Amino acid sequence: MAAEEPGDACSSSAWRRRQEVPEKPNYALKYTLVGHSAAVSSVKFSPDGEWLASSSADKVIIIWGAYDGKYKKTLYGHSLEISDVAWSSDSTCLVSASDDKTLKIWDVRSGKCLRTLQGHSDYVFCCNFNPASTLIVSGSFDESVKIWEVKTGKCLKTLTAHSDPVSAVHFNSTGSLIVSGSYDGLCRIWDAASGQCLKTLAVDDNLPVSFVKFSPNGKYILTSTLDSTLRLWDYSRGRCLKTYTGHKNEKYCVFASFSVTGGKWIVSGSEDNLVYIWNVQTKEIVQKLQGHTDVVITAACHPTENIIASAALENDKTIKLWISDC
Amino acid sequence: MNLELLESFGQNYPEEADGTLDCISMALTCTFNRWGTLLAVGCNDGRIVIWDFLTRGIAKIISAHIHPVCSLCWSRDGHKLVSASTDNIVSQWDVLSGDCDQRFRFPSPILKVQYHPRDQNKVLVCPMKSAPVMLTLSDSKHVVLPVDDDSDLNVVASFDRRGEYIYTGNAKGKILVLKTDSQDLVASFRVTTGTSNTTAIKSIEFARKGSCFLINTADRIIRVYDGREILTCGRDGEPEPMQKLQDLVNRTPWKKCCFSGDGEYIVAGSARQHALYIWEKSIGNLVKILHGTRGELLLDVAWHPVRPIIASISSGVVSIWAQNQVENWSAFAPDFKELDENVEYEERESEFDIEDEDKSEPEQTGADAAEDEEVDVTSVDPIAAFCSSDEELEDSKALLYLPIAPEVEDPEENPYGPPPDAVQTSLMDEGASSEKKRQSSADGSQPPKKKPKTTNIELQGVPNDEVHPLLGVKGDGKSKKKQAGRPKGSKGKEKDSPFKPKLYKGDRGLPLEGSTKGKVQAELSQPLTGGAISELL
């Protein structure tokens, strides 16, 4: 179910007409999606831009329309909470990571679970497809990263990646590299074909890395640590180029994202119930989206339109869609 | 991007065996696509099996011919394959759909097919006992290339790296360089051996980078030339080869030779035994001999375009040779650097004092300057290894991977299914056959495909009763039998091999025994593509 709310623009239209390069976005709440019965853990837009998938602690995945927020279907099958969900590149399959130590591959059209990937010995926390959608990478509380073959469901490689739970895994845009972040404060980059470790970034010695992902062109890594800081790294030189602060992130693994459809922003959830948006270059906070009533655990950006989806924990349980002009 | 991180010493050569690609059919020829992501293998039963090199699994099977496939070539954008079979047919296939676009029937068996490196519309065909023919696919026309000596028609040909010229060689050692568009002769020379005896040219191979090429001749010497030198020598020139490579000890004849991806190494497969010799091109020294199973004969050798990996075919099985995977332990620590040699470290006078007086002020300005840099998160740099020197961007429409649908496992009891009173309103079409449709790639459940156009090519003075050399070879189990697959009793690979082969079909590290291998093969015979394969089995 979706409800449309009155707009909440925060910059005047006259100002917008003057500027060529957008200095600030004007995201306004468009839809609130209600349907989950427990905290939402992750939302992701499909690569073709049609759907939004959300995973939740109520053990189900719900598919919504990306443009109208309409409920589409529910995917049942996991026996415990789901922590993450990811789309395949052709938008036909989903993979979900759950506390029941398995990952499941779903066919979106029929809503059926195609395959269950078993092998982890503890909660599976994060998952992603590679761009060719022939491999799935997963990170788990058992401190390992596993690479699975989509076709047969077999685990091709297990990387003894970290010494603490793995909080995030991501392929780069060509599928040749995997980045993994963990509570041990390290980010590691792996060669996808051989499983060799190529580089380690010590993001912070004492602080868990709660989230990591590649930039759209694969040149930079965005990391989030539990000291309320987001950092942008040039991993080939091992240098931190930008730091984004101002939000609150000390407890949960909050998702962040690059928004590149209009102006170039960094979007992240926060534990003070707001969605924060920073300018990539200047590092200033350009907008804070208000509306959730609990920790905003995840924020995702639409692949082609200026739409942000955000979701919050159990006091809220809703997903909100925000739309901007730039 | 990671190629730079990986190869700190530049591209090398493989050093040991790294398993096999085993499928039901017996492999005869193999070729990598331009990026090395897919390997097309032509088989004894007429099928083309396309392997995804990243997962080492089968991505697609095209039931191409009825007779063995003897030559294959990928188009530049990876969308098309051209194949030749021993019944004299050349066909072009669309890789994604598995459909045949066009067919050409020749009067004599085909030795080699090759796409023009830059223009997918042109295909070079080398029939036996005939001058090479260049086909234009769009209008199904063909042009017979001029030869030096009309009485000798055992000619092999190859495009040069950019497709500007065609090099042909005949049984008397004469090499002609023709311009592709006009077939004008721009250069020629004769390969002589010993005391000006002529030697037959067996094949001409070009490197993917640079202007070098090699000629494999019947006198068992591999000659490496620079293409630019040939052109400057002009007609009836006498260019000197850059290198002359041979096995002086055993006088090994060479079955197939090729360059490495960067053109720095040359691999040659022996025609007598299962051995691969690798030379360094610039120095001409032999750097490695890779030994396969004794008693097997090599059929084909291909070097991966980017990585130090070689695929070789013997006894119907594709063997992969790669580098030893040494874990780079220093990559696990963020500030460790691997050194090649010991470095003397001079410590400062006050380095280990509690209060370091001599230490210079840390660079504060440096860190701030970095934070002001423009960061570009969206523009993509083309990968240098994949681009030719005269091209700026990668082809965005290129086909690097084949889409793979996950196989559906047996439906399990689902205790966590939807509650019985919930209404599952699905607004999408619930095609029950949608999963099956996605799995089957080339079988009868699809709408009838349009019949491919078949063109008969007439060539003057070509004998009609020639038999392809592949069919004539005996004693290796490569008969015309369609029922392929390695004989279950054969212990050749396990007994004599110096290495432990790993099967890339769901191998979980179990030791290979005859019984488990048989089980794996039985699993493989599950038709993934529906009706077409079960007909052949």
Side-chain angles (χ1 to χ4, degrees):
Chain A
M1 291 170 292
E4 190 157 339
E5 310 239 338
D8 196 14
C10 57
S11 63
S12 71
S13 51
W15 170 88
R16 247 183 294 129
R17 262 181 267 124
R18 249 202 336 260
Q19 306 280 359
E20 277 271 7
V21 174
E23 266 203 22
K24 287 192 204 295
N26 58 348
Y27 279 95
L29 179 61
K30 197 86 192 292
Y31 297 108
T32 301
L33 280 47
V34 180
H36 279 296
S37 49
V40 183
S41 54
S42 169
V43 289
K44 297 270 174 75
F45 282 101
S46 66
D48 64 3
E50 291 288 317
W51 313 108
L52 180 71
S54 64
S55 64
S56 160
D58 61 6
K59 310 175 200 159
V60 303
I61 301 166
I62 300 187
I63 315 263
W64 317 79
Y67 298 112
D68 53 9
K70 281 215 181 74
Y71 164 87
K72 231 42 166 199
K73 61 167 51 169
T74 307
L75 307 180
Y76 297 90
H78 276 297
S79 49
L80 286 176
E81 294 82 344
I82 307 176
S83 301
D84 198 6
V85 70
W87 288 89
S88 66
S89 312
D90 56 4
S91 306
T92 56
C93 293
L94 281 173
V95 63
S96 58
S98 164
D99 284 358
D100 61 9
K101 306 181 198 165
T102 68
L103 294 113
K104 281 188 189 287
I105 306 180
W106 308 85
D107 171 43
V108 175
R109 270 181 82 85
S110 61
K112 292 208 174 46
C113 167
L114 294 176
R115 211 160 250 286
T116 302
L117 308 179
Q118 293 172 330
H120 277 297
S121 48
D122 208 337
Y123 311 139
V124 191
F125 198 66
C126 44
C127 57
N128 251 312
F129 274 95
N130 68 339
S133 297
T134 50
L135 298 176
I136 289 173
V137 64
S138 64
S140 159
F141 266 53
D142 65 6
E143 299 164 12
S144 71
V145 170
K146 280 185 188 284
I147 304 179
W148 311 81
E149 187 188 354
V150 170
K151 187 164 189 186
T152 55
K154 299 224 161 35
C155 174
L156 290 178
K157 285 192 184 62
T158 302
L159 312 176
T160 43
H162 292 278
S163 48
D164 267 326
V166 179
S167 53
V169 283
H170 191 227
F171 274 99
N172 69 340
S173 50
T174 57
S176 50
L177 295 177
I178 297 170
V179 66
S180 66
S182 157
Y183 280 15
D184 60 5
L186 298 174
C187 253
R188 290 207 161 111
I189 300 175
W190 311 82
D191 174 43
S194 61
Q196 256 197 330
C197 176
L198 296 176
K199 201 155 176 83
T200 303
L201 294 177
V203 178
D204 195 301
D205 268 341
N206 299 323
L207 289 168
V209 174
S210 56
F211 179 71
V212 68
K213 92 184 277 191
F214 277 105
S215 65
N217 62 358
K219 278 212 268 194
Y220 306 102
I221 292 180
L222 181 69
T223 64
S224 167
T225 39
L226 290 186
D227 60 349
S228 308
T229 315
L230 283 157
R231 290 185 181 85
L232 190 70
W233 297 79
D234 174 1
Y235 58 86
S236 46
R237 286 181 295 171
R239 268 182 22 189
C240 170
L241 296 177
K242 305 272 179 196
T243 312
Y244 308 95
T245 52
H247 64 304
K248 183 151 173 280
N249 185 5
E250 283 157 10
K251 198 163 159 209
Y252 294 99
C253 289
V254 176
F255 282 83
S257 187
F258 289 89
S259 169
V260 297
T261 44
K264 310 275 186 281
W265 324 113
I266 304 271
V267 178
S268 169
S270 167
E271 288 159 12
D272 57 7
N273 308 357
L274 302 171
V275 177
Y276 280 74
I277 307 180
W278 293 263
N279 182 314
V280 170
Q281 311 295 351
T282 66
K283 303 166 287 186
E284 319 173 304
I285 299 176
V286 291
Q287 206 182 353
K288 293 193 255 198
L289 308 179
Q290 198 173 6
H292 282 289
T293 53
D294 201 350
V295 168
V296 180
I297 189 79
T298 176
C301 298
H302 192 277
T304 49
E305 303 290 325
N306 298 326
I307 308 177
I308 291 179
S310 62
L313 296 184
E314 47 284 341
N315 277 344
D316 180 314
K317 297 192 270 256
T318 64
I319 302 162
K320 291 188 190 289
L321 285 176
W322 316 77
I323 300 194
S324 162
D325 296 323
C326 57
Chain B
M1 166 99 349
N2 65 318
L3 295 172
E4 288 112 46
L5 278 176
L6 257 188
E7 266 96 40
S8 43
F9 358 87
Q11 185 175 69
N12 268 333
Y13 50 88
E15 282 164 6
E16 56 176 32
D18 188 26
T20 62
L21 300 177
D22 219 0
C23 69
I24 316 166
S25 331
M26 292 190 62
L28 293 178
T29 176
C30 66
T31 175
F32 282 100
N33 71 350
R34 193 172 149 219
W35 307 274
T37 53
L38 297 170
L39 178 71
V41 177
C43 300
N44 200 15
D45 52 7
R47 281 192 285 189
I48 302 174
V49 181
I50 300 180
W51 292 84
D52 179 327
F53 219 62
L54 190 58
T55 56
R56 306 271 177 113
I58 295 181
K60 198 174 184 78
I61 300 186
I62 302 179
S63 300
H65 296 271
I66 309 169
H67 288 263
V69 178
C70 52
S71 179
L72 280 175
C73 187
W74 286 90
S75 67
R76 186 171 172 77
D77 68 358
H79 277 278
K80 308 276 183 197
L81 268 175
V82 66
S83 69
S85 73
T86 51
D87 60 353
N88 314 348
I89 294 186
V90 172
S91 314
Q92 171 173 275
W93 303 90
D94 180 270
V95 175
L96 268 180
S97 63
D99 293 336
C100 177
D101 293 335
Q102 250 191 355
R103 242 203 285 265
F104 297 88
R105 198 186 305 276
F106 281 79
S108 65
I110 314 294
L111 294 172
K112 176 176 167 179
V113 288
Q114 187 185 14
Y115 271 106
H116 187 293
R118 298 290 157 95
D119 178 5
Q120 295 184 178
N121 200 20
K122 298 203 174 72
V123 176
L124 182 66
V125 181
C126 301
M128 270 180 78
K129 297 275 193 303
S130 155
V133 173
M134 190 156 71
L135 295 173
T136 316
L137 293 174
S138 50
D139 54 8
S140 307
K141 289 212 171 50
H142 68 280
V143 170
V144 179
L145 299 176
V147 287
D148 179 54
D149 181 358
D150 281 330
S151 60
D152 162 33
L153 288 176
N154 282 321
V155 184
V156 292
S158 173
F159 281 107
D160 76 334
R161 180 172 74 97
R162 297 219 179 115
E164 287 174 54
Y165 300 100
I166 299 178
Y167 284 61
T168 71
N170 67 3
K172 301 228 178 70
K174 188 72 186 268
I175 304 275
L176 301 178
V177 182
L178 310 166
K179 206 138 173 46
T180 308
D181 310 325
S182 57
Q183 292 97 50
D184 290 334
L185 181 67
V186 297
S188 66
F189 63 99
R190 191 179 293 274
V191 176
T192 54
T193 183
T195 52
S196 18
N197 283 337
T198 60
T199 172
I201 310 285
K202 284 165 62 174
S203 72
I204 308 172
E205 308 281 345
F206 280 83
R208 281 186 205 253
K209 286 212 181 327
S211 55
C212 294
F213 66 97
L214 61 83
I215 302 182
N216 182 15
T217 45
D219 65 350
R220 305 163 190 203
I221 300 178
I222 301 168
R223 292 175 174 77
V224 184
Y225 293 89
D226 187 336
R228 293 169 297 195
E229 198 190 323
I230 306 296
L231 292 175
T232 47
C233 285
R235 299 193 195 190
D236 293 318
E238 287 181 19
E240 272 298 308
M242 279 169 55
Q243 295 291 351
K244 278 162 96 158
L245 309 170
Q246 54 184 317
D247 177 14
L248 285 165
V249 176
N250 300 323
R251 302 266 301 136
T252 311
W254 308 109
K255 176 86 179 165
K256 170 90 194 279
C257 320
C258 58
F259 281 90
S260 67
D262 57 0
E264 289 303 314
Y265 293 93
I266 295 168
V267 63
S270 157
R272 273 211 212 114
Q273 48 167 332
H274 190 172
L276 299 170
Y277 288 63
I278 303 179
W279 293 267
E280 200 173 329
K281 179 195 82 174
S282 44
I283 310 175
N285 59 330
L286 180 69
V287 291
K288 188 88 190 159
I289 304 179
L290 297 169
H291 289 284
T293 319
R294 278 179 38 206
E296 294 188 348
L297 281 184
L298 267 184
L299 288 174
D300 203 356
V301 178
W303 197 308
H304 192 282
V306 184
R307 289 178 180 257
I309 297 177
I310 295 179
S312 71
I313 297 187
S314 63
S315 292
V317 172
V318 182
S319 311
I320 308 288
W321 308 84
Q323 281 189 319
N324 210 354
Q325 279 297 345
V326 177
E327 193 69 62
N328 181 13
W329 294 110
S330 62
F332 279 92
D335 41 10
F336 267 43
K337 217 174 53 163
E338 244 183 58
L339 297 172
D340 286 330
E341 326 177 298
N342 287 338
V343 169
E344 285 282 334
Y345 181 64
E346 298 265 339
E347 63 199 37
R348 285 191 316 274
E349 187 64 38
S350 59
E351 180 155 347
F352 294 106
D353 292 352
I354 293 177
E355 267 195 37
D356 196 347
E357 296 156 346
D358 294 345
K359 190 168 169 191
S360 51
E361 282 300 314
E363 292 258 346
Q364 282 298 347
T365 48
D368 288 344
E371 292 249 333
D372 291 335
E373 251 176 62
E374 271 290 310
V375 164
D376 186 358
V377 291
T378 44
S379 63
V380 181
D381 285 337
I383 300 178
F386 289 160
C387 291
S388 316
S389 45
D390 58 344
E391 279 182 332
E392 286 282 313
L393 303 164
E394 287 178 60
D395 190 350
S396 51
K397 293 191 304 295
L399 182 70
L400 271 91
Y401 296 101
L402 286 177
I404 289 186
E407 297 164 9
V408 183
E409 60 181 358
D410 296 328
E412 51 200 18
E413 269 305 302
N414 194 353
Y416 304 101
D421 52 354
V423 175
Q424 279 256 309
T425 52
S426 156
L427 301 178
M428 296 190 281
D429 254 0
E430 192 108 304
S433 58
S434 62
E435 287 152 18
K436 283 210 215 81
K437 271 222 181 77
R438 250 187 312 109
Q439 277 183 48
S440 66
S441 48
D443 66 357
S445 70
Q446 286 175 343
K449 303 177 254 213
K450 61 178 193 339
K451 250 179 104 53
K453 181 169 153 202
T454 309
T455 316
N456 284 326
I457 305 282
E458 305 291 334
L459 294 174
Q460 305 289 359
V462 176
N464 289 33
D465 49 359
E466 287 292 331
V467 173
H468 197 282
L470 261 183
L471 299 177
V473 178
K474 290 195 175 38
D476 208 55
K478 276 191 329 297
S479 59
K480 275 199 212 163
K481 281 208 289 278
K482 292 189 187 72
Q483 185 60 261
R486 298 177 58 198
K488 290 200 169 60
S490 96
K491 291 289 189 190
K493 244 186 154 46
E494 295 99 277
K495 209 170 40 169
D496 292 331
S497 62
F499 60 95
K500 193 154 94 101
K502 296 174 289 208
L503 284 183
Y504 280 101
K505 292 301 287 181
D507 172 46
R508 286 192 208 261
L510 301 171
L512 267 181
E513 288 154 50
S515 55
T516 47
K517 193 144 60 74
K519 186 159 72 93
V520 170
Q521 284 189 325
E523 277 172 26
L524 291 172
S525 67
Q526 285 297 327
L528 288 173
T529 59
I533 298 201
S534 57
E535 279 164 10
L536 290 175
L537 285 177

